[in-house]
Amino acid sequence: RRCCAVIIMKSLALILLFQIYGQSLSQNATRPNIVMVMSDAFDGRLTFDPGSRVVQLPYVNYLRELGTTFLNAYTNSPICCPSRAAMWSGQFVHHTQSWNNYKCLDANATTWMDLLEANGYLTKMMGKLDYTSGSHSVSNRVEAWTRDVQFLLRQEPRPVAQLVGNMSTMRIMRKDWENIDKATNWIHQRAAPSHQPFALYVGLNLPHPYRTESMGPTAGGSTFRTSPYWLGKVSSELITVPKWLPLDSMHPVDYYSTFTKNCSGVFTEEEVRSIRAFYYAMCAEADAMLGRVISALRETGLLNNTVVIFTADHGELAMEHRQFYKMSMFEGSSHVPLLIMGPGLRSGLQVKQLVSLVDLYPTVLDIAGLSPVGALSGHSLFPWLSKASAFSKKEHPDWVLSEYHGCNVNASTYMLRSGRWKYIAYADGLSVPPQLFDLTVDKEELHNVSPKFQDVRAHLDKLLRSIVDYPKVSTAVHLYNKKAFTAWRNGVGRNYSQVIANLRWHVDWQKDPLANEKAIDKWLNVHSLKPSTSSQLMLHWLQQANTAMQTQAIEFIVKSTV
């Protein structure tokens, strides 16, 4: 009897294990693999016409033809860490308090990748992650903290184009290519033999500009570098030279950004064309890396059961609005690519719905058949992707929110895109004038029609305030900046003067270091500096600008835009 009982117990255990294993196999067989490739600084307008004509992007086109392209996808913050923090958490920036590249998510924050792993997915993250607190340079964080100080200092090297190699030189961004090699090896050696569904994230640095080494160890990235091979992918005759407003007609926040990005001097038309051509060539190299990942999936027979997502943390202005880099709500900076292809998903579809990076968290979970944990800022995009007609569309807001609180901008910035309108509010909404653009007739965003359409402005401001109490958030950021800077200065101790004088702004700082330190002391000692004083600060910054340089620049702009 005892022997029979043992046999029966083992048989029941085997049956139970078989049932569990069989359910697991069945579940895994129906759950698709998920691969996300996230580029850095990739202009989303290059993924559809007419932008897609200027550079050959065969693998972006592949995703566009076999998947869904979101034509109006935006970053939730036009800078690396806060943007990625929003994507990984599904939360708006003011919820995570990701104020700059230094302050983002806690290391133990739950991401959608964590939830996939907890629910049976084999997971791997490689390349540029950049979403937790504590990263990036000292310069980057100090510049963000001191943006209310009454000085105007160039914080970036002048943007330049640099040609390297020859027609056979393909691997320019070597670190990215190393990560792509690791990703393809992981697909072949780990994902393919596994019986689990897998999720792979690959973060690229391209087409982010390279560090300008001639400016020393603290220099930022202002070098657009590529080879003749990638330049051959660019249709030079289609490169446009963007129109610029005269410096004295720019919005004060845009002027501050232009100056601190070292773009207020004179640029020839050839320089602007070259920077833009090199940027597009860098996008072509990033596209080739995406292609390597897609090829590895095809070679292993995994592509037919894999959802592939291509997106970016933000765009690149590439000399639009007399700026490079990001940190702006203009389309070149805030509009990101979003293409999704996979089994059971629609092909060749172009979706006009306004979406943003926070929507990827619930979308990925929806694809995996999982429910999100807690409240999210984003909404699943699966209803637009799925072929299943029985799947009804959940409500998705008809607006997107982006906000920015970091360096190279001297006021917290909030962008609400709704329908044809883009509304941009600053600080407390009173001291700095807002901007309003009608994107249907002003794609270049050169005409602020806020004074003309006051009813539209009032409606959008009311909607924005219903989403985020932005004056309150601006005040919180202002207080954080003072507290964080004070803690940093105390930590540096007696070396403070030397350290702060040799950050990225060292060229301008060292013209009068004592005056600059006094300006910081004055800022710190004003205990209740209200956001309403920012207009006076901006006037001070404008007055500091070199008049002769402005005159030369304005004359050049007039000649080049007539």
Side-chain angles (χ1 to χ4, degrees), residues 356-421:
S356 63
L357 292 179
V358 289
D359 294 327
L360 286 175
Y361 187 113
T363 301
V364 168
L365 295 185
D366 234 351
I367 289 169
L370 302 174
S371 299
V373 177
L376 296 176
S377 302
H379 297 75
S380 177
L381 305 179
F382 195 70
W384 281 274
L385 300 170
S386 176
K387 291 179 181 177
S389 57
F391 192 94
S392 60
K393 290 186 178 181
K394 300 176 183 177
E395 285 196 20
H396 192 290
D398 60 355
W399 50 263
V400 292
L401 171 70
S402 188
E403 54 189 292
Y404 184 68
H405 310 282
C407 59
N408 294 106
V409 174
N410 56 343
S412 286
T413 307
Y414 307 85
M415 185 272 281
L416 185 71
R417 174 76 203 278
S418 179
R420 64 195 289 183
W421 303 105

Coordinates of all heavy atoms in Angstrom, one line a residue, residues 356-421:
S356 N 3.0 59.7 -27.1 CA 4.3 60.1 -26.6 C 4.9 58.8 -25.9 O 4.3 57.8 -25.8 CB 4.1 61.2 -25.5 OG 3.3 60.8 -24.5
L357 N 6.1 59.0 -25.5 CA 6.9 57.9 -25.0 C 6.3 57.2 -23.8 O 6.5 56.0 -23.6 CB 8.3 58.3 -24.7 CG 9.2 58.7 -25.9 CD1 10.6 59.2 -25.5 CD2 9.3 57.6 -26.9
V358 N 5.5 57.9 -22.9 CA 4.9 57.2 -21.8 C 3.9 56.2 -22.2 O 3.5 55.3 -21.5 CB 4.2 58.2 -20.9 CG1 5.2 59.1 -20.1 CG2 3.2 59.1 -21.6
D359 N 3.5 56.2 -23.5 CA 2.5 55.2 -24.0 C 3.2 53.9 -24.2 O 2.5 52.9 -24.4 CB 1.9 55.7 -25.3 CG 1.0 56.9 -25.1 OD1 0.4 57.1 -24.0 OD2 1.0 57.8 -26.0
L360 N 4.5 53.8 -24.3 CA 5.2 52.6 -24.6 C 5.1 51.6 -23.4 O 5.0 50.4 -23.7 CB 6.6 52.8 -25.0 CG 6.8 53.4 -26.4 CD1 8.3 53.8 -26.6 CD2 6.3 52.5 -27.4
Y361 N 5.1 52.0 -22.2 CA 5.0 51.1 -21.1 C 3.7 50.3 -21.1 O 3.8 49.0 -21.1 CB 5.0 52.0 -19.8 CG 5.1 51.3 -18.5 CD1 6.2 51.3 -17.7 CD2 4.0 50.5 -18.0 CE1 6.3 50.7 -16.4 CE2 4.1 49.9 -16.8 CZ 5.2 50.0 -16.0 OH 5.3 49.3 -14.8
P362 N 2.5 50.9 -21.2 CA 1.3 50.1 -21.3 C 1.2 49.3 -22.6 O 0.6 48.2 -22.7 CB 0.1 51.1 -21.1 CG 0.7 52.4 -21.5 CD 2.1 52.3 -21.1
T363 N 1.8 49.8 -23.7 CA 1.7 49.2 -25.0 C 2.5 47.8 -24.9 O 2.0 46.8 -25.4 CB 2.3 50.1 -26.1 OG1 1.5 51.3 -26.1 CG2 2.2 49.4 -27.4
V364 N 3.7 47.9 -24.4 CA 4.5 46.7 -24.3 C 3.8 45.6 -23.4 O 3.8 44.4 -23.8 CB 5.9 47.0 -23.7 CG1 6.7 45.8 -23.3 CG2 6.7 47.8 -24.7
L365 N 3.3 46.1 -22.3 CA 2.6 45.1 -21.4 C 1.3 44.5 -22.2 O 1.0 43.3 -22.0 CB 2.1 45.8 -20.1 CG 3.3 46.3 -19.2 CD1 2.7 46.8 -17.9 CD2 4.3 45.1 -18.9
D366 N 0.6 45.3 -22.9 CA -0.5 44.9 -23.7 C -0.1 43.8 -24.7 O -0.8 42.8 -24.9 CB -1.2 46.1 -24.4 CG -2.7 46.2 -24.1 OD1 -3.2 45.2 -23.5 OD2 -3.3 47.2 -24.5
I367 N 1.0 44.1 -25.4 CA 1.5 43.1 -26.3 C 1.8 41.8 -25.7 O 1.6 40.7 -26.3 CB 2.8 43.7 -27.0 CG1 2.4 44.8 -28.0 CG2 3.5 42.6 -27.8 CD1 3.5 45.6 -28.5
A368 N 2.3 41.8 -24.5 CA 2.7 40.6 -23.7 C 1.5 40.0 -23.0 O 1.7 39.0 -22.3 CB 3.8 40.9 -22.7
G369 N 0.4 40.6 -23.1 CA -0.8 40.1 -22.4 C -0.8 40.3 -20.9 O -1.4 39.6 -20.1
L370 N -0.1 41.4 -20.5 CA 0.0 41.7 -19.0 C -0.7 43.0 -18.7 O -0.9 43.9 -19.6 CB 1.4 41.8 -18.6 CG 2.3 40.6 -18.9 CD1 3.8 40.9 -18.6 CD2 1.9 39.4 -18.1
S371 N -1.1 43.1 -17.5 CA -1.8 44.3 -17.0 C -0.8 45.2 -16.2 O 0.0 44.7 -15.5 CB -3.0 44.0 -16.0 OG -3.9 43.2 -16.7
P372 N -0.8 46.5 -16.4 CA 0.1 47.4 -15.7 C -0.2 47.4 -14.2 O -1.3 47.1 -13.8 CB -0.2 48.8 -16.3 CG -1.6 48.7 -16.9 CD -1.8 47.3 -17.3
V373 N 0.8 47.8 -13.4 CA 0.7 47.9 -12.0 C 0.6 49.3 -11.6 O 1.5 50.1 -11.9 CB 1.9 47.2 -11.3 CG1 1.8 47.4 -9.8 CG2 1.9 45.7 -11.6
G374 N -0.5 49.8 -11.0 CA -0.6 51.2 -10.6 C -1.0 52.1 -11.7 O -1.1 51.7 -12.9
A375 N -1.2 53.4 -11.4 CA -1.7 54.3 -12.4 C -0.5 54.8 -13.3 O 0.6 54.9 -12.8 CB -2.2 55.6 -11.6
L376 N -0.8 54.9 -14.5 CA 0.2 55.4 -15.5 C -0.2 56.6 -16.2 O -1.4 57.0 -16.3 CB 0.4 54.3 -16.6 CG 0.9 52.9 -16.1 CD1 0.9 51.9 -17.3 CD2 2.3 53.1 -15.5
S377 N 0.7 57.4 -16.7 CA 0.5 58.6 -17.5 C 0.1 58.2 -18.9 O -0.6 59.0 -19.6 CB 1.7 59.5 -17.4 OG 2.0 59.9 -16.1
G378 N 0.6 57.1 -19.4 CA 0.5 56.7 -20.7 C -0.7 55.8 -21.0 O -1.4 55.3 -20.0
H379 N -1.1 55.6 -22.2 CA -2.2 54.8 -22.7 C -1.7 53.8 -23.7 O -0.9 54.2 -24.6 CB -3.3 55.6 -23.2 CG -3.9 56.5 -22.2 ND1 -3.3 57.7 -21.8 CD2 -5.1 56.5 -21.5 CE1 -4.0 58.3 -20.9 NE2 -5.1 57.6 -20.7
S380 N -2.2 52.6 -23.7 CA -1.8 51.6 -24.7 C -2.1 52.0 -26.1 O -3.2 52.5 -26.4 CB -2.4 50.2 -24.4 OG -2.0 49.3 -25.3
L381 N -1.1 51.7 -27.0 CA -1.3 52.0 -28.4 C -1.8 50.7 -29.2 O -1.9 50.7 -30.4 CB 0.0 52.5 -29.0 CG 0.6 53.7 -28.4 CD1 1.9 54.1 -29.1 CD2 -0.3 54.9 -28.4
F382 N -1.9 49.6 -28.4 CA -2.3 48.4 -29.0 C -3.6 48.4 -29.9 O -3.7 47.8 -30.9 CB -2.4 47.3 -27.9 CG -2.4 45.9 -28.5 CD1 -1.3 45.3 -29.0 CD2 -3.6 45.1 -28.5 CE1 -1.3 44.0 -29.5 CE2 -3.6 43.8 -28.9 CZ -2.4 43.3 -29.5
P383 N -4.6 49.2 -29.5 CA -5.8 49.3 -30.3 C -5.5 49.8 -31.7 O -6.2 49.4 -32.7 CB -6.7 50.3 -29.6 CG -6.2 50.2 -28.1 CD -4.8 49.9 -28.2
W384 N -4.5 50.6 -31.9 CA -4.2 51.1 -33.3 C -3.3 50.0 -34.0 O -3.2 50.1 -35.2 CB -3.4 52.4 -33.2 CG -4.3 53.5 -33.0 CD1 -5.0 54.3 -33.9 CD2 -4.7 54.1 -31.7 NE1 -5.8 55.2 -33.3 CE2 -5.6 55.1 -31.9 CE3 -4.3 53.8 -30.4 CZ2 -6.1 55.9 -30.9 CZ3 -4.9 54.5 -29.4 CH2 -5.8 55.6 -29.6
L385 N -2.7 49.1 -33.3 CA -1.8 48.2 -33.9 C -2.4 46.9 -34.3 O -2.1 46.3 -35.3 CB -0.6 47.9 -32.9 CG 0.3 49.0 -32.4 CD1 1.1 48.6 -31.3 CD2 1.1 49.5 -33.6
S386 N -3.4 46.4 -33.5 CA -3.9 45.1 -33.6 C -4.8 44.9 -34.8 O -5.6 45.8 -35.1 CB -4.7 44.7 -32.3 OG -5.3 43.4 -32.5
K387 N -4.7 43.7 -35.4 CA -5.6 43.4 -36.5 C -6.9 42.9 -36.0 O -7.9 42.8 -36.8 CB -4.9 42.3 -37.4 CG -3.7 42.7 -38.2 CD -3.1 41.5 -39.0 CE -1.9 41.9 -39.8 NZ -1.3 40.8 -40.5
A388 N -6.9 42.5 -34.8 CA -8.2 41.9 -34.2 C -9.3 42.9 -34.2 O -9.3 43.9 -33.4 CB -7.9 41.4 -32.8
S389 N -10.3 42.7 -35.0 CA -11.4 43.7 -35.1 C -12.2 43.7 -33.9 O -12.9 44.7 -33.6 CB -12.3 43.3 -36.3 OG -12.8 42.0 -36.2
A390 N -12.2 42.6 -33.1 CA -13.0 42.5 -31.9 C -12.4 43.4 -30.8 O -13.1 43.7 -29.8 CB -13.1 41.1 -31.4
F391 N -11.2 43.9 -30.9 CA -10.5 44.7 -29.9 C -11.0 46.1 -30.1 O -10.6 46.8 -31.0 CB -9.0 44.5 -30.0 CG -8.3 45.1 -28.8 CD1 -7.9 44.3 -27.8 CD2 -8.0 46.4 -28.8 CE1 -7.2 44.8 -26.7 CE2 -7.3 46.9 -27.7 CZ -6.9 46.1 -26.6
S392 N -11.7 46.6 -29.1 CA -12.2 48.0 -29.2 C -11.2 48.9 -28.7 O -10.4 48.6 -27.8 CB -13.5 48.1 -28.4 OG -13.2 47.8 -27.0
K393 N -11.1 50.1 -29.3 CA -10.2 51.1 -28.9 C -10.5 51.7 -27.6 O -11.6 52.2 -27.4 CB -10.1 52.2 -30.0 CG -9.5 51.8 -31.3 CD -9.3 53.0 -32.2 CE -8.6 52.5 -33.5 NZ -8.5 53.7 -34.5
K394 N -9.5 51.7 -26.7 CA -9.7 52.4 -25.4 C -9.5 53.9 -25.7 O -8.9 54.3 -26.7 CB -8.6 51.9 -24.4 CG -8.7 50.4 -24.1 CD -7.6 50.0 -23.2 CE -7.6 48.5 -22.9 NZ -6.5 48.1 -22.1
E395 N -10.0 54.7 -24.8 CA -9.9 56.1 -25.0 C -8.4 56.5 -24.8 O -7.8 56.1 -23.8 CB -10.8 56.9 -24.0 CG -12.3 56.8 -24.3 CD -13.1 57.9 -23.6 OE1 -12.4 58.8 -23.1 OE2 -14.3 57.7 -23.5
H396 N -8.0 57.4 -25.7 CA -6.6 57.9 -25.6 C -6.8 59.4 -25.7 O -7.6 59.9 -26.5 CB -5.8 57.4 -26.8 CG -4.3 57.7 -26.6 ND1 -3.8 59.0 -26.7 CD2 -3.3 56.9 -26.4 CE1 -2.5 58.9 -26.6 NE2 -2.1 57.7 -26.4
P397 N -6.1 60.2 -24.9 CA -6.3 61.7 -24.9 C -5.9 62.2 -26.3 O -5.0 61.7 -27.0 CB -5.4 62.2 -23.8 CG -4.4 61.1 -23.5 CD -5.2 59.8 -23.8
D398 N -6.5 63.4 -26.6 CA -6.2 64.0 -27.9 C -5.1 65.0 -27.8 O -5.1 66.0 -28.5 CB -7.5 64.6 -28.5 CG -8.1 65.7 -27.6 OD1 -7.6 65.9 -26.5 OD2 -9.1 66.3 -28.1
W399 N -4.2 64.9 -26.8 CA -3.1 65.8 -26.6 C -1.9 65.0 -26.1 O -2.0 63.8 -25.7 CB -3.5 66.8 -25.5 CG -4.1 66.2 -24.2 CD1 -5.4 66.1 -23.9 CD2 -3.4 65.6 -23.1 NE1 -5.6 65.5 -22.7 CE2 -4.3 65.2 -22.2 CE3 -2.0 65.5 -22.8 CZ2 -4.0 64.6 -21.0 CZ3 -1.7 64.8 -21.6 CH2 -2.6 64.4 -20.7
V400 N -0.8 65.6 -26.2 CA 0.5 65.1 -25.6 C 1.1 66.2 -24.8 O 1.0 67.4 -25.1 CB 1.5 64.5 -26.6 CG1 0.9 63.2 -27.2 CG2 1.8 65.5 -27.6
L401 N 1.8 65.8 -23.7 CA 2.5 66.7 -22.8 C 4.0 66.4 -22.9 O 4.5 65.3 -22.8 CB 2.0 66.5 -21.4 CG 2.8 67.3 -20.3 CD1 2.6 68.8 -20.4 CD2 2.4 66.8 -18.9
S402 N 4.8 67.5 -23.0 CA 6.2 67.4 -22.8 C 6.7 68.5 -21.9 O 6.1 69.6 -21.9 CB 6.9 67.5 -24.2 OG 8.3 67.2 -24.0
E403 N 7.7 68.3 -21.1 CA 8.1 69.3 -20.2 C 9.7 69.3 -20.1 O 10.3 68.2 -20.3 CB 7.5 69.2 -18.8 CG 7.7 67.8 -18.2 CD 6.8 67.6 -16.9 OE1 7.1 68.3 -15.9 OE2 5.9 66.8 -17.0
Y404 N 10.3 70.4 -19.7 CA 11.7 70.4 -19.7 C 12.2 71.3 -18.5 O 11.7 72.5 -18.4 CB 12.3 70.9 -21.0 CG 13.8 70.9 -21.0 CD1 14.5 69.7 -21.0 CD2 14.6 72.1 -21.0 CE1 15.9 69.6 -20.9 CE2 16.0 72.0 -20.9 CZ 16.6 70.8 -20.9 OH 18.0 70.8 -20.9
H405 N 13.2 70.9 -17.8 CA 13.7 71.6 -16.6 C 15.2 71.6 -16.5 O 15.7 72.0 -15.4 CB 13.1 71.0 -15.3 CG 11.6 70.7 -15.3 ND1 10.7 71.8 -15.2 CD2 10.9 69.6 -15.6 CE1 9.5 71.3 -15.3 NE2 9.6 70.0 -15.5
G406 N 15.9 71.3 -17.6 CA 17.3 71.1 -17.5 C 18.1 72.3 -18.0 O 17.7 73.4 -18.0
C407 N 19.4 72.0 -18.4 CA 20.3 73.0 -18.8 C 20.0 73.6 -20.2 O 19.2 73.1 -20.9 CB 21.7 72.4 -18.8 SG 21.9 71.0 -20.0
N408 N 20.6 74.7 -20.5 CA 20.5 75.5 -21.8 C 19.1 76.1 -22.0 O 18.8 76.6 -23.0 CB 20.8 74.6 -23.0 CG 22.3 74.2 -23.0 OD1 22.6 73.0 -22.7 ND2 23.1 75.1 -23.3
V409 N 18.3 76.0 -20.9 CA 17.0 76.7 -21.0 C 16.8 77.3 -19.6 O 17.0 76.7 -18.6 CB 15.8 75.7 -21.3 CG1 14.5 76.4 -21.1 CG2 16.0 75.1 -22.7
N410 N 16.4 78.6 -19.6 CA 16.4 79.4 -18.3 C 15.0 79.5 -17.7 O 14.8 80.4 -16.9 CB 17.0 80.8 -18.5 CG 16.3 81.6 -19.6 OD1 15.6 81.0 -20.4 ND2 16.5 82.9 -19.6
A411 N 14.1 78.6 -18.0 CA 12.8 78.6 -17.4 C 12.2 77.2 -17.6 O 12.3 76.7 -18.7 CB 11.8 79.7 -18.0
S412 N 11.5 76.7 -16.6 CA 10.8 75.4 -16.8 C 9.8 75.6 -18.0 O 9.1 76.6 -18.1 CB 10.1 75.0 -15.6 OG 11.0 74.5 -14.6
T413 N 9.8 74.6 -18.9 CA 9.0 74.7 -20.1 C 8.0 73.6 -20.2 O 8.3 72.4 -19.9 CB 10.0 74.7 -21.3 OG1 11.0 75.6 -21.1 CG2 9.3 74.9 -22.6
Y414 N 6.8 73.9 -20.7 CA 5.7 72.9 -20.8 C 5.1 73.0 -22.2 O 4.6 74.1 -22.6 CB 4.7 73.1 -19.7 CG 5.3 73.2 -18.3 CD1 5.8 74.4 -17.8 CD2 5.3 72.1 -17.5 CE1 6.4 74.5 -16.6 CE2 5.9 72.1 -16.3 CZ 6.4 73.3 -15.8 OH 7.0 73.4 -14.6
M415 N 5.1 71.9 -22.9 CA 4.5 71.9 -24.2 C 3.2 71.0 -24.3 O 3.3 69.9 -23.8 CB 5.5 71.4 -25.3 CG 5.0 71.5 -26.7 SD 4.1 70.0 -27.3 CE 5.4 68.9 -27.6
L416 N 2.1 71.6 -24.7 CA 0.9 70.8 -24.9 C 0.6 70.9 -26.4 O 0.4 71.9 -27.0 CB -0.2 71.5 -24.2 CG -1.6 70.7 -24.2 CD1 -1.4 69.4 -23.4 CD2 -2.7 71.6 -23.6
R417 N 0.6 69.7 -27.0 CA 0.2 69.6 -28.4 C -1.2 69.0 -28.5 O -1.5 68.0 -27.9 CB 1.2 68.6 -29.2 CG 0.8 68.3 -30.6 CD 1.2 69.4 -31.6 NE 0.3 69.3 -32.8 CZ 0.6 68.5 -33.8 NH1 1.7 67.8 -33.8 NH2 -0.2 68.5 -34.8
S418 N -2.1 69.8 -29.2 CA -3.5 69.3 -29.3 C -4.0 69.8 -30.7 O -4.0 71.0 -31.0 CB -4.3 70.0 -28.2 OG -5.7 69.6 -28.3
G419 N -4.4 68.8 -31.5 CA -4.8 69.1 -32.8 C -3.8 69.8 -33.6 O -2.6 69.4 -33.7
R420 N -4.2 71.0 -34.2 CA -3.3 71.7 -35.1 C -2.3 72.6 -34.2 O -1.4 73.2 -34.8 CB -4.1 72.6 -36.0 CG -4.9 73.7 -35.3 CD -6.0 74.3 -36.1 NE -5.4 75.2 -37.1 CZ -6.2 75.9 -37.9 NH1 -7.5 75.8 -37.9 NH2 -5.6 76.7 -38.8
W421 N -2.6 72.7 -32.9 CA -1.9 73.7 -32.1 C -0.8 73.1 -31.3 O -0.8 72.0 -30.8 CB -2.9 74.4 -31.1 CG -4.0 75.0 -31.8 CD1 -5.3 74.6 -31.9 CD2 -4.0 76.3 -32.5 NE1 -6.1 75.5 -32.6 CE2 -5.3 76.5 -33.0 CE3 -3.0 77.2 -32.8 CZ2 -5.6 77.6 -33.8 CZ3 -3.3 78.3 -33.6 CH2 -4.6 78.5 -34.0

